[in-house]
Coordinates of all heavy atoms in Angstrom, one line a residue:
M38 N -39.3 86.1 -0.5 CA -38.5 86.5 -1.6 C -38.7 85.5 -2.8 O -38.8 84.3 -2.6 CB -37.0 86.4 -1.2 CG -36.1 87.0 -2.2 SD -34.4 86.7 -1.8 CE -33.6 86.7 -3.4
K39 N -38.7 86.0 -3.9 CA -38.9 85.2 -5.1 C -37.6 85.2 -5.9 O -36.9 86.2 -6.0 CB -40.0 85.7 -6.0 CG -41.4 85.3 -5.4 CD -42.4 85.6 -6.4 CE -43.1 84.3 -6.9 NZ -44.0 84.5 -8.0
C40 N -37.3 84.1 -6.6 CA -36.1 84.1 -7.4 C -36.4 84.8 -8.7 O -37.6 84.8 -9.2 CB -35.6 82.7 -7.6 SG -36.7 81.6 -8.5
P41 N -35.4 85.3 -9.4 CA -35.7 86.1 -10.6 C -36.4 85.4 -11.7 O -37.2 86.0 -12.5 CB -34.3 86.5 -11.1 CG -33.4 86.3 -9.9 CD -34.0 85.2 -9.0
G42 N -36.2 84.1 -11.8 CA -36.8 83.3 -12.8 C -38.3 83.3 -12.8 O -39.0 83.2 -13.9
T43 N -38.9 83.4 -11.6 CA -40.4 83.4 -11.6 C -41.0 84.8 -11.2 O -42.2 84.9 -11.1 CB -40.9 82.3 -10.6 OG1 -40.3 82.6 -9.4 CG2 -40.6 80.9 -11.1
D44 N -40.1 85.7 -11.0 CA -40.6 87.1 -10.7 C -41.2 87.7 -11.9 O -40.6 87.7 -13.0 CB -39.4 87.9 -10.2 CG -39.9 89.2 -9.6 OD1 -40.7 89.9 -10.1 OD2 -39.3 89.6 -8.5
T45 N -42.4 88.2 -11.8 CA -43.1 88.7 -13.0 C -42.4 89.8 -13.6 O -42.6 90.1 -14.8 CB -44.6 89.1 -12.6 OG1 -44.5 89.9 -11.5 CG2 -45.4 87.9 -12.3
R46 N -41.6 90.6 -12.8 CA -40.9 91.7 -13.4 C -39.8 91.2 -14.5 O -39.4 92.0 -15.3 CB -40.2 92.5 -12.4 CG -41.1 93.4 -11.6 CD -40.4 94.0 -10.4 NE -39.8 93.0 -9.6 CZ -38.9 93.2 -8.6 NH1 -38.5 94.4 -8.4 NH2 -38.4 92.3 -7.9
F47 N -39.4 90.0 -14.3 CA -38.4 89.4 -15.2 C -39.0 88.5 -16.2 O -38.2 87.9 -17.0 CB -37.3 88.7 -14.4 CG -36.6 89.6 -13.5 CD1 -36.9 89.8 -12.2 CD2 -35.5 90.4 -14.0 CE1 -36.2 90.6 -11.3 CE2 -34.8 91.2 -13.1 CZ -35.2 91.3 -11.8
L48 N -40.3 88.4 -16.3 CA -40.9 87.5 -17.2 C -40.7 87.9 -18.6 O -40.7 89.1 -18.9 CB -42.4 87.4 -17.0 CG -42.9 86.5 -15.9 CD1 -44.4 86.5 -15.9 CD2 -42.4 85.1 -16.0
R49 N -40.4 87.0 -19.5 CA -40.3 87.3 -20.9 C -41.3 86.5 -21.7 O -41.7 85.4 -21.3 CB -38.9 87.0 -21.4 CG -37.9 88.1 -21.0 CD -36.5 87.7 -21.5 NE -36.1 86.5 -20.9 CZ -35.1 85.7 -21.4 NH1 -34.5 86.1 -22.4 NH2 -34.7 84.6 -20.7
V50 N -41.8 87.1 -22.8 CA -42.7 86.4 -23.6 C -42.0 85.9 -24.8 O -41.3 86.6 -25.5 CB -43.9 87.4 -24.0 CG1 -45.0 86.6 -24.8 CG2 -44.5 88.0 -22.8
G51 N -42.3 84.7 -25.1 CA -41.8 84.1 -26.3 C -42.9 83.7 -27.2 O -44.0 83.3 -26.8
V52 N -42.7 83.8 -28.5 CA -43.8 83.5 -29.5 C -43.5 82.1 -30.0 O -42.4 81.8 -30.5 CB -44.0 84.5 -30.6 CG1 -45.0 84.0 -31.6 CG2 -44.4 85.8 -30.0
H53 N -44.4 81.2 -29.9 CA -44.2 79.8 -30.4 C -45.3 79.5 -31.4 O -46.5 79.8 -31.1 CB -44.2 78.8 -29.2 CG -43.1 79.0 -28.3 ND1 -42.0 78.2 -28.4 CD2 -42.8 79.9 -27.3 CE1 -41.1 78.6 -27.4 NE2 -41.6 79.7 -26.8
K54 N -45.0 78.9 -32.4 CA -46.0 78.5 -33.4 C -46.7 77.2 -32.9 O -46.0 76.2 -32.6 CB -45.4 78.3 -34.7 CG -45.5 79.5 -35.6 CD -45.3 79.2 -37.1 CE -45.6 80.5 -37.9 NZ -45.0 80.5 -39.2
C55 N -48.0 77.2 -33.0 CA -48.8 76.0 -32.7 C -48.4 74.9 -33.7 O -48.6 75.2 -34.9 CB -50.3 76.3 -32.7 SG -51.3 74.9 -32.5
P56 N -48.0 73.8 -33.3 CA -47.6 72.7 -34.2 C -48.9 72.2 -34.9 O -48.7 71.5 -36.0 CB -47.0 71.6 -33.3 CG -47.5 71.9 -31.9 CD -47.8 73.4 -31.9
N57 N -50.0 72.4 -34.4 CA -51.2 71.9 -35.0 C -51.8 72.8 -36.1 O -52.1 72.3 -37.2 CB -52.3 71.7 -33.9 CG -53.4 70.9 -34.4 OD1 -53.3 69.8 -34.9 ND2 -54.6 71.4 -34.2
C58 N -51.9 74.1 -35.8 CA -52.5 75.0 -36.8 C -51.7 76.2 -37.2 O -52.0 76.9 -38.1 CB -53.8 75.5 -36.2 SG -53.6 76.7 -34.8
G59 N -50.5 76.3 -36.6 CA -49.6 77.4 -37.0 C -49.8 78.7 -36.4 O -49.1 79.7 -36.7
Y60 N -50.8 78.8 -35.6 CA -51.1 80.0 -34.9 C -50.0 80.4 -33.9 O -49.4 79.6 -33.3 CB -52.4 79.9 -34.1 CG -53.0 81.1 -33.5 CD1 -53.8 82.0 -34.2 CD2 -52.7 81.5 -32.2 CE1 -54.4 83.1 -33.7 CE2 -53.2 82.7 -31.6 CZ -54.0 83.5 -32.4 OH -54.5 84.6 -31.8
E61 N -49.7 81.7 -33.9 CA -48.6 82.1 -33.0 C -49.1 82.4 -31.6 O -49.9 83.3 -31.4 CB -47.9 83.3 -33.6 CG -47.1 82.9 -34.8 CD -46.2 84.0 -35.4 OE1 -46.4 85.2 -35.1 OE2 -45.2 83.7 -36.2
V62 N -48.6 81.6 -30.7 CA -49.1 81.7 -29.3 C -48.0 82.3 -28.4 O -46.8 81.9 -28.6 CB -49.4 80.3 -28.8 CG1 -50.0 80.3 -27.4 CG2 -50.4 79.6 -29.8
E63 N -48.4 83.2 -27.5 CA -47.4 83.7 -26.6 C -47.2 82.9 -25.4 O -48.2 82.5 -24.8 CB -47.8 85.1 -26.2 CG -47.6 86.2 -27.3 CD -48.0 87.6 -26.9 OE1 -48.8 87.7 -25.9 OE2 -47.6 88.5 -27.6
I64 N -46.0 82.5 -25.1 CA -45.8 81.8 -23.9 C -44.8 82.5 -23.0 O -43.7 82.9 -23.4 CB -45.2 80.4 -24.2 CG1 -46.1 79.6 -25.2 CG2 -45.0 79.6 -22.9 CD1 -45.6 78.2 -25.5
F65 N -45.3 82.8 -21.7 CA -44.4 83.5 -20.8 C -43.3 82.6 -20.3 O -43.4 81.4 -20.3 CB -45.2 84.0 -19.6 CG -46.0 85.2 -19.9 CD1 -47.3 85.1 -20.4 CD2 -45.4 86.5 -19.9 CE1 -48.1 86.2 -20.7 CE2 -46.2 87.6 -20.2 CZ -47.5 87.5 -20.6
S66 N -42.2 83.2 -19.8 CA -41.0 82.4 -19.5 C -41.2 81.5 -18.3 O -40.4 80.6 -18.0 CB -39.8 83.4 -19.2 OG -40.2 84.3 -18.3
D67 N -42.3 81.7 -17.5 CA -42.5 80.8 -16.4 C -43.6 79.7 -16.7 O -44.0 79.0 -15.9 CB -42.9 81.5 -15.1 CG -44.3 82.1 -15.2 OD1 -44.7 82.5 -16.3 OD2 -44.9 82.3 -14.1
E68 N -44.0 79.7 -18.0 CA -45.0 78.7 -18.4 C -44.4 77.7 -19.3 O -43.5 77.9 -20.1 CB -46.2 79.4 -19.1 CG -47.0 80.3 -18.2 CD -48.0 81.1 -19.0 OE1 -47.7 81.6 -20.1 OE2 -49.1 81.2 -18.5
V69 N -44.9 76.5 -19.2 CA -44.4 75.4 -20.0 C -45.3 75.2 -21.2 O -44.9 74.8 -22.3 CB -44.4 74.1 -19.2 CG1 -43.6 73.0 -19.9 CG2 -43.8 74.3 -17.8
R70 N -46.6 75.4 -21.0 CA -47.5 75.1 -22.1 C -48.7 76.1 -22.0 O -49.0 76.6 -20.9 CB -48.0 73.7 -22.0 CG -48.7 73.4 -20.7 CD -49.5 72.1 -20.7 NE -50.4 72.1 -19.6 CZ -51.1 71.0 -19.2 NH1 -50.9 69.9 -19.8 NH2 -51.9 71.1 -18.1
V71 N -49.2 76.4 -23.1 CA -50.4 77.2 -23.1 C -51.4 76.6 -24.1 O -51.0 75.9 -25.1 CB -50.2 78.7 -23.5 CG1 -49.5 79.5 -22.5 CG2 -49.4 78.8 -24.8
K72 N -52.7 76.8 -23.9 CA -53.6 76.3 -24.8 C -53.7 77.2 -26.0 O -53.9 78.5 -25.9 CB -55.0 76.2 -24.1 CG -55.8 75.0 -24.5 CD -57.0 74.9 -23.7 CE -57.4 73.4 -23.5 NZ -58.5 73.3 -22.5
C73 N -53.7 76.7 -27.2 CA -53.8 77.5 -28.4 C -55.2 78.0 -28.5 O -56.2 77.3 -28.4 CB -53.5 76.6 -29.6 SG -53.8 77.4 -31.2
P74 N -55.3 79.3 -28.6 CA -56.7 79.9 -28.7 C -57.5 79.6 -29.9 O -58.7 79.7 -30.0 CB -56.4 81.5 -28.6 CG -55.0 81.6 -29.0 CD -54.3 80.3 -28.7
K75 N -56.8 79.1 -30.9 CA -57.4 78.8 -32.2 C -57.9 77.4 -32.2 O -59.1 77.1 -32.5 CB -56.5 79.1 -33.3 CG -57.2 79.4 -34.6 CD -56.2 79.8 -35.7 CE -56.8 79.9 -37.0 NZ -55.8 80.0 -38.1
C76 N -57.0 76.4 -31.9 CA -57.4 75.0 -32.1 C -57.6 74.3 -30.8 O -57.9 73.1 -30.7 CB -56.5 74.3 -33.0 SG -54.8 74.1 -32.3
K77 N -57.3 75.0 -29.7 CA -57.5 74.4 -28.3 C -56.5 73.3 -28.0 O -56.7 72.6 -27.0 CB -58.9 74.0 -28.1 CG -60.0 74.9 -28.4 CD -59.9 76.2 -27.6 CE -61.0 77.2 -28.0 NZ -60.6 78.6 -27.7
K78 N -55.5 73.2 -28.8 CA -54.4 72.2 -28.4 C -53.4 72.8 -27.6 O -53.2 74.0 -27.6 CB -53.8 71.6 -29.7 CG -54.8 70.9 -30.6 CD -54.6 69.4 -30.6 CE -55.5 68.8 -31.6 NZ -55.7 67.3 -31.3
Y79 N -52.6 72.0 -26.9 CA -51.5 72.6 -26.1 C -50.3 72.9 -26.9 O -49.9 72.1 -27.7 CB -51.2 71.7 -24.9 CG -52.1 71.8 -23.8 CD1 -53.0 70.8 -23.4 CD2 -52.2 73.0 -23.0 CE1 -53.9 70.9 -22.4 CE2 -53.1 73.1 -22.0 CZ -53.9 72.1 -21.6 OH -54.8 72.2 -20.6
V80 N -49.7 74.0 -26.7 CA -48.5 74.4 -27.3 C -47.4 74.4 -26.2 O -47.6 75.0 -25.2 CB -48.5 75.8 -28.0 CG1 -47.2 76.1 -28.7 CG2 -49.7 75.9 -28.9
Y81 N -46.3 73.6 -26.4 CA -45.3 73.5 -25.4 C -44.1 74.3 -25.8 O -43.7 74.5 -26.9 CB -44.9 72.0 -25.3 CG -45.9 71.2 -24.6 CD1 -46.8 70.5 -25.4 CD2 -45.9 71.0 -23.3 CE1 -47.8 69.7 -24.8 CE2 -46.9 70.2 -22.7 CZ -47.8 69.6 -23.4 OH -48.8 68.8 -22.8
R82 N -43.4 74.8 -24.7 CA -42.2 75.5 -24.9 C -41.1 74.4 -25.3 O -41.2 73.3 -24.9 CB -41.7 76.2 -23.6 CG -42.4 77.4 -23.3 CD -42.1 77.8 -21.9 NE -40.7 77.7 -21.5 CZ -39.9 78.8 -21.7 NH1 -40.4 79.9 -22.1 NH2 -38.7 78.7 -21.3
E83 N -40.2 74.8 -26.0 CA -39.1 73.8 -26.4 C -38.2 73.6 -25.2 O -37.7 72.5 -25.1 CB -38.3 74.3 -27.6 CG -39.0 74.1 -28.9 CD -39.2 75.3 -29.7 OE1 -38.2 76.0 -30.0 OE2 -40.4 75.6 -30.1
E84 N -38.0 74.6 -24.4 CA -37.1 74.5 -23.3 C -37.8 74.8 -22.0 O -38.8 75.6 -22.0 CB -35.9 75.4 -23.4 CG -34.9 74.9 -24.4 CD -33.9 75.9 -24.7 OE1 -33.5 76.6 -23.8 OE2 -33.5 76.0 -25.9
L85 N -37.4 74.2 -20.9 CA -37.9 74.5 -19.6 C -37.4 75.9 -19.2 O -36.3 76.3 -19.6 CB -37.5 73.5 -18.6 CG -38.2 72.1 -18.8 CD1 -37.5 71.1 -17.9 CD2 -39.6 72.1 -18.4
P86 N -38.2 76.5 -18.3 CA -37.6 77.8 -17.7 C -36.3 77.4 -17.1 O -36.2 76.5 -16.3 CB -38.7 78.2 -16.7 CG -39.9 77.5 -17.1 CD -39.5 76.2 -17.8
S87 N -35.2 78.2 -17.4 CA -33.9 77.8 -17.0 C -33.7 77.7 -15.5 O -33.1 76.8 -15.0 CB -32.9 78.7 -17.6 OG -33.2 80.1 -17.2
C88 N -34.2 78.6 -14.8 CA -34.0 78.6 -13.3 C -34.5 77.4 -12.6 O -34.0 76.9 -11.7 CB -34.5 79.9 -12.7 SG -36.3 80.0 -12.5
I89 N -35.6 76.9 -13.2 CA -36.2 75.7 -12.6 C -35.3 74.5 -12.8 O -35.3 73.6 -12.0 CB -37.6 75.5 -13.2 CG1 -38.5 76.6 -12.6 CG2 -38.2 74.1 -12.8 CD1 -39.8 76.9 -13.3
D90 N -34.5 74.5 -13.9 CA -33.6 73.4 -14.1 C -32.5 73.4 -13.1 O -32.1 72.3 -12.7 CB -33.0 73.6 -15.5 CG -33.6 72.7 -16.5 OD1 -34.3 71.8 -16.1 OD2 -33.4 73.0 -17.7
W91 N -32.0 74.5 -12.7 CA -30.8 74.5 -11.8 C -31.1 74.9 -10.4 O -30.3 74.6 -9.5 CB -29.6 75.2 -12.4 CG -29.9 76.6 -12.9 CD1 -30.1 77.1 -14.1 CD2 -30.0 77.8 -12.0 NE1 -30.4 78.4 -14.1 CE2 -30.3 78.9 -12.9 CE3 -29.9 78.0 -10.6 CZ2 -30.5 80.2 -12.4 CZ3 -30.1 79.3 -10.2 CH2 -30.4 80.4 -11.0
C92 N -32.1 75.7 -10.2 CA -32.3 76.2 -8.8 C -32.8 75.2 -7.9 O -33.8 74.5 -8.1 CB -33.3 77.4 -8.9 SG -33.6 78.2 -7.3
K93 N -32.1 75.1 -6.7 CA -32.5 74.0 -5.8 C -33.8 74.4 -5.0 O -34.4 73.5 -4.3 CB -31.4 73.7 -4.8 CG -30.9 74.9 -4.0 CD -29.8 74.4 -3.1 CE -29.2 75.6 -2.3 NZ -28.2 75.1 -1.3
Y94 N -34.2 75.6 -5.1 CA -35.4 76.0 -4.5 C -36.6 76.0 -5.4 O -37.7 76.4 -5.1 CB -35.3 77.4 -3.8 CG -34.2 77.5 -2.8 CD1 -33.0 78.2 -3.0 CD2 -34.3 76.7 -1.6 CE1 -32.0 78.2 -2.1 CE2 -33.3 76.8 -0.7 CZ -32.1 77.5 -0.9 OH -31.1 77.5 0.0
A95 N -36.4 75.6 -6.6 CA -37.4 75.6 -7.7 C -38.7 74.9 -7.2 O -39.8 75.4 -7.5 CB -36.9 75.0 -9.0
R96 N -38.5 73.8 -6.6 CA -39.7 73.0 -6.1 C -40.6 73.8 -5.2 O -41.8 73.8 -5.3 CB -39.2 71.7 -5.4 CG -40.3 70.7 -5.3 CD -39.6 69.4 -4.8 NE -40.7 68.4 -4.7 CZ -40.4 67.1 -4.7 NH1 -39.2 66.7 -4.9 NH2 -41.3 66.2 -4.6
Q97 N -40.0 74.5 -4.2 CA -40.8 75.3 -3.3 C -41.3 76.5 -4.0 O -42.4 77.0 -3.7 CB -40.0 75.7 -2.1 CG -39.6 74.6 -1.2 CD -38.1 74.2 -1.4 OE1 -37.8 73.7 -2.5 NE2 -37.3 74.3 -0.4
C98 N -40.5 77.0 -4.9 CA -40.7 78.3 -5.6 C -42.0 78.2 -6.4 O -42.9 79.0 -6.4 CB -39.5 78.7 -6.4 SG -39.6 80.3 -7.2
I99 N -42.1 77.2 -7.3 CA -43.2 77.1 -8.2 C -44.3 76.2 -7.6 O -45.4 76.2 -8.2 CB -42.7 76.6 -9.6 CG1 -42.1 75.2 -9.5 CG2 -41.8 77.5 -10.2 CD1 -41.9 74.5 -10.8
G100 N -44.0 75.5 -6.6 CA -45.1 74.7 -6.0 C -45.0 73.3 -6.4 O -44.6 73.0 -7.6
E101 N -45.4 72.4 -5.5 CA -45.3 70.9 -5.8 C -46.1 70.5 -7.1 O -45.5 69.8 -7.9 CB -46.0 70.2 -4.6 CG -45.8 68.7 -4.6 CD -44.4 68.3 -4.3 OE1 -43.6 69.0 -3.5 OE2 -44.0 67.2 -4.8
E102 N -47.2 71.0 -7.3 CA -48.1 70.6 -8.4 C -47.4 70.9 -9.7 O -47.3 70.1 -10.6 CB -49.4 71.2 -8.3 CG -50.5 70.5 -9.0 CD -51.9 71.1 -8.7 OE1 -52.3 71.1 -7.5 OE2 -52.5 71.5 -9.6
R103 N -46.9 72.1 -9.8 CA -46.3 72.6 -11.0 C -45.0 71.9 -11.3 O -44.6 71.7 -12.4 CB -46.1 74.1 -10.9 CG -46.1 74.8 -12.2 CD -46.6 76.2 -12.1 NE -46.4 76.9 -13.3 CZ -46.3 78.2 -13.4 NH1 -46.4 79.0 -12.3 NH2 -46.1 78.8 -14.5
W104 N -44.3 71.7 -10.2 CA -43.0 71.0 -10.2 C -43.2 69.6 -10.9 O -42.5 69.2 -11.8 CB -42.4 70.9 -8.8 CG -41.3 70.0 -8.7 CD1 -41.3 68.6 -8.4 CD2 -39.9 70.3 -9.0 NE1 -40.0 68.1 -8.4 CE2 -39.1 69.1 -8.8 CE3 -39.3 71.5 -9.4 CZ2 -37.7 69.1 -9.0 CZ3 -37.9 71.5 -9.6 CH2 -37.1 70.3 -9.4
K105 N -44.2 68.9 -10.4 CA -44.5 67.6 -11.0 C -44.9 67.7 -12.4 O -44.5 66.8 -13.2 CB -45.7 67.0 -10.2 CG -45.3 66.3 -8.9 CD -46.4 65.6 -8.3 CE -46.0 65.0 -6.9 NZ -47.2 64.8 -6.1
E106 N -45.6 68.7 -12.8 CA -46.0 68.9 -14.2 C -44.8 69.1 -15.0 O -44.7 68.5 -16.1 CB -46.9 70.1 -14.3 CG -47.7 70.1 -15.6 CD -48.6 71.4 -15.6 OE1 -49.4 71.6 -14.6 OE2 -48.6 72.1 -16.6
L107 N -43.9 69.9 -14.5 CA -42.6 70.1 -15.3 C -41.8 68.9 -15.4 O -41.2 68.6 -16.5 CB -41.8 71.2 -14.5 CG -42.3 72.6 -14.7 CD1 -41.6 73.5 -13.7 CD2 -42.0 73.1 -16.1
M108 N -41.7 68.1 -14.3 CA -40.9 66.9 -14.4 C -41.5 65.9 -15.4 O -40.8 65.2 -16.1 CB -40.8 66.3 -13.0 CG -39.9 67.1 -12.0 SD -38.3 67.4 -12.7 CE -38.3 69.2 -12.9
D109 N -42.8 65.8 -15.4 CA -43.5 64.9 -16.3 C -43.2 65.3 -17.7 O -43.0 64.5 -18.6 CB -45.0 64.9 -16.1 CG -45.5 64.1 -14.9 OD1 -44.6 63.4 -14.4 OD2 -46.6 64.2 -14.5
F110 N -43.3 66.6 -17.9 CA -43.0 67.2 -19.2 C -41.6 66.9 -19.7 O -41.4 66.5 -20.8 CB -43.2 68.7 -19.1 CG -42.8 69.5 -20.4 CD1 -43.5 69.4 -21.5 CD2 -41.6 70.3 -20.3 CE1 -43.1 70.1 -22.6 CE2 -41.2 71.0 -21.5 CZ -42.0 70.9 -22.6
K111 N -40.7 67.0 -18.8 CA -39.3 66.7 -19.1 C -39.1 65.2 -19.5 O -38.4 64.9 -20.4 CB -38.4 67.0 -17.8 CG -37.2 67.7 -18.2 CD -36.5 68.2 -16.9 CE -35.1 68.6 -17.2 NZ -34.4 69.1 -16.0
K112 N -39.7 64.4 -18.7 CA -39.7 62.9 -18.9 C -40.2 62.6 -20.3 O -39.6 61.8 -21.1 CB -40.5 62.2 -17.8 CG -39.7 61.0 -17.3 CD -40.5 60.4 -16.1 CE -41.1 59.1 -16.5 NZ -42.1 58.6 -15.6
R113 N -41.4 63.2 -20.6 CA -42.0 62.9 -21.9 C -41.1 63.3 -23.0 O -41.0 62.7 -24.1 CB -43.3 63.6 -22.0 CG -44.5 62.9 -21.5 CD -45.8 63.3 -22.2 NE -46.0 64.8 -22.0 CZ -46.5 65.4 -21.0 NH1 -46.9 64.7 -20.0 NH2 -46.7 66.7 -21.0
K114 N -40.4 64.5 -22.9 CA -39.5 65.0 -23.9 C -38.4 64.0 -24.1 O -38.0 63.8 -25.3 CB -38.9 66.3 -23.4 CG -39.8 67.5 -23.8 CD -39.7 67.8 -25.2 CE -40.5 69.0 -25.6 NZ -40.6 69.2 -27.1
K115 N -37.9 63.4 -23.1 CA -36.8 62.5 -23.2 C -37.2 61.2 -23.9 O -36.4 60.6 -24.7 CB -36.2 62.1 -21.8 CG -35.1 63.0 -21.4 CD -34.5 62.6 -20.1 CE -33.6 63.6 -19.5 NZ -33.4 63.5 -18.1
E116 N -38.4 60.8 -23.7 CA -38.9 59.6 -24.3 C -39.3 59.7 -25.8 O -39.4 58.7 -26.5 CB -40.1 59.1 -23.5 CG -39.7 58.4 -22.2 CD -40.9 58.3 -21.2 OE1 -42.0 58.7 -21.6 OE2 -40.6 57.9 -20.1
E117 N -39.4 60.9 -26.2 CA -39.8 61.2 -27.6 C -38.8 60.8 -28.6 O -37.6 61.0 -28.3 CB -40.2 62.7 -27.8 CG -41.7 62.9 -27.6 CD -42.0 64.4 -27.6 OE1 -41.2 65.2 -28.1 OE2 -43.0 64.7 -27.0
Ligands
ZN490 ZN1 -53.4 75.8 -32.7

């Protein structure tokens, strides 16, 4: 069983402007960053996928590697 936050049926796409070149990049609700197809820089979501923030199964759900990536991302955001 998958939780709704990462179920592809519930995925939503958000459009984010690349801070580097202004290109509009689509980021799915379960993704934190995507590479800008124009300038190849990473475009980050402003917010983390909500269910990962509060769901206690998030770690198992998205996997250890991705979990770490998200936590690093969160830490970096705080330090900014
Ligand atoms: Zn760009």
Side-chain angles (χ1 to χ4, degrees):
M38 192 191 152
K39 282 191 117 190
C40 65
T43 54
D44 192 315
T45 49
R46 286 173 302 169
F47 295 95
L48 279 185
R49 280 181 298 163
V50 184
V52 176
H53 294 259
K54 263 197 177 162
C55 172
N57 192 52
C58 70
Y60 188 87
E61 288 188 342
V62 185
E63 285 182 343
I64 306 182
F65 283 94
S66 56
D67 72 330
E68 290 174 318
V69 192
R70 59 170 195 190
V71 288
K72 216 174 212 175
C73 174
K75 208 175 168 190
C76 67
K77 311 295 175 205
K78 298 253 184 198
Y79 280 111
V80 183
Y81 289 91
R82 282 164 53 88
E83 279 124 53
E84 282 169 41
L85 288 170
S87 58
C88 73
I89 288 158
D90 258 344
W91 53 257
C92 182
K93 60 178 176 175
Y94 301 113
R96 196 171 180 157
Q97 292 102 297
C98 185
I99 60 169
E101 188 72 30
E102 206 173 298
R103 207 152 170 202
W104 170 264
K105 275 185 188 157
E106 198 180 311
L107 283 166
M108 289 306 113
D109 282 351
F110 172 73
K111 221 172 169 178
K112 226 176 108 194
R113 271 206 307 274
K114 274 282 180 191
K115 266 185 194 159
E116 284 162 4
E117 265 171 22

